Amino acid sequence: MALATEHLIDIDRKTGEYVQGWPRIKQSIECILTTRIGVRLMRLWWGSKFVDMQDKPGNEETLMTGMMAAISAINTYEPEFKVSRVSIDAFDSTGDITITVEGVDLIDAQLKRTKTTI
């Protein structure tokens, strides 16, 4: 299998314009983490169990399960990014989860980090 030398091109979910590189990867990570498995009609297998940790107690077991679900889903469905670290920064009573994902952009071979609230 040949290694890719350029980033994939996608459509920005907010503007409808083309997006490529790190902005596309960040969008993909957020989409993976916010999509429940079984809700996409043509891809029932796609998504993650990370969002299932909302409305659960914020104990250590729930946090570890959520982090493992995030790592597994991102590494499975995002071909241009390899996760090296995930941390849950905030888990509040409203159900909002702030997560930081760190890893390597496999095309540029650079360490990247994104922080998002779900």
Side-chain angles (χ1 to χ4, degrees):
M1 182 171 130
L3 296 175
T5 57
E6 289 189 30
H7 283 285
L8 297 172
I9 299 172
D10 207 346
I11 303 293
D12 189 294
R13 296 172 82 181
K14 295 176 178 113
T15 65
E17 297 185 10
Y18 290 119
V19 64
Q20 185 176 16
W22 181 238
R24 189 208 66 79
I25 295 171
K26 287 194 314 187
Q27 174 179 277
S28 176
I29 289 171
E30 184 175 342
C31 186
I32 290 167
L33 294 180
T34 58
T35 303
R36 280 187 164 79
I37 293 176
V39 298
R40 289 211 170 184
L41 204 53
M42 300 299 285
R43 296 180 184 165
L44 294 173
W45 43 265
W46 196 89
S48 77
K49 294 183 179 182
F50 175 78
V51 77
D52 292 341
M53 70 182 281
Q54 288 181 318
D55 301 329
K56 298 258 170 87
N59 59 24
E60 191 172 319
E61 180 182 352
T62 302
L63 296 176
M64 290 303 291
T65 302
M67 286 191 291
M68 293 307 295
I71 292 168
S72 174
I74 294 167
N75 282 340
T76 301
Y77 300 121
E78 179 46 61
E80 296 184 353
F81 190 75
K82 175 75 172 161
V83 177
S84 60
R85 185 176 145 194
V86 168
S87 64
I88 296 178
D89 304 323
F91 189 86
D92 63 23
S93 61
T94 64
D96 289 341
I97 303 167
T98 303
I99 184 171
T100 301
V101 178
E102 190 175 292
V104 177
D105 179 336
L106 298 175
I107 305 300
D108 295 341
Q110 293 181 353
L111 185 65
K112 302 282 186 167
R113 179 180 302 133
T114 182
K115 186 175 192 173
T116 187
T117 300
I118 298 171

